[in-house]
Amino acid sequence: LEPAKQRIHSAMKDNQGNIWLGAYRKGLIMLPVKRNHFRYIGSKAQVSDLIGSGCVTSLLIDNNNLLWVGTDNDGIYIVTPDKIRLAHISVENGAPFKIMGLVQGPDGRIWFGSSNEGLWSANAGSYTLTKHPHPNLGMSVQSIAIDNRGLVWMATLGDGIQCYNGI
């Protein structure tokens, strides 16, 4: 896959300097800082499909160097640096339909928003999900950040910027 010809929905830089791109309906593309053999994870991979065929909407590399891949209609995939699928938190197992803006909090929890399903978190060890109630029920979270006090900030579609005390 040629990155310049793809519709990119999410991008991030990891601790080694590699650039990760979530390509619309194509999976993940990694642009390595050093030449290596890995470039693509997704349904079109020749060896194995680690993350399904859903649109990649968000990416996170957590404190344990695990890659969290949020998708549209297929939940969250967690992949090790050795390209092994550690977990799949599927929609059938309670994940919201569209995962937006993965971020890790100071306590290790993984926070994410969802289009029309509000604010969620996942325990980084057990992968259990928690939906966090908010006065704007059903809000569409498009992006998420956590400040140095542990407050979760959400950019929403139609409800402006919202804040949640995640401590």
Side-chain angles (χ1 to χ4, degrees):
L1 293 174
E2 294 182 48
K5 294 182 179 180
Q6 304 305 313
R7 186 170 157 190
I8 304 301
H9 276 244
S10 186
M12 65 168 280
K13 187 176 188 178
D14 67 20
N15 293 339
Q16 288 78 41
N18 301 307
I19 304 294
W20 293 80
L21 305 171
Y24 181 70
R25 299 196 181 268
K26 299 285 171 65
L28 287 177
I29 301 169
M30 183 183 79
L31 304 175
V33 71
K34 292 188 268 183
R35 186 163 173 79
N36 66 25
H37 299 289
F38 172 72
R39 289 198 37 96
Y40 174 77
I41 294 176
S43 61
K44 303 203 183 321
Q46 294 177 355
V47 179
S48 66
D49 176 14
L50 299 176
I51 62 165
S53 61
C55 175
V56 174
T57 55
S58 52
L59 300 169
L60 167 72
I61 294 182
D62 71 13
N63 295 339
N64 295 317
N65 211 27
L66 298 175
L67 175 64
W68 292 64
V69 181
T71 68
D72 185 359
N73 204 30
D74 200 18
I76 300 171
Y77 290 88
I78 298 122
V79 179
T80 69
D82 299 327
K83 296 180 285 257
I84 297 169
R85 182 194 298 170
L86 192 59
H88 176 209
I89 308 169
S90 68
V91 172
E92 293 79 20
N93 292 333
F97 283 100
K98 189 170 190 177
I99 309 298
M100 303 296 287
L102 292 157
V103 65
Q104 189 165 26
D107 63 355
R109 276 188 294 177
I110 307 300
W111 291 86
F112 57 94
S114 174
S115 183
N116 298 323
E117 294 185 63
L119 179 65
W120 293 70
S121 69
N123 180 298
S126 67
Y127 311 120
T128 54
L129 298 179
T130 303
K131 184 173 182 177
H132 297 274
H134 195 276
N136 294 320
L137 292 176
M139 85 180 145
S140 180
V141 176
Q142 299 298 300
S143 185
I144 190 168
I146 296 180
D147 69 18
N148 58 5
R149 298 172 294 170
L151 297 175
V152 180
W153 293 89
M154 300 161 281
T156 70
L157 185 61
D159 290 317
I161 305 249
Q162 300 288 328
C163 183
Y164 180 82
N165 188 346
I167 299 172

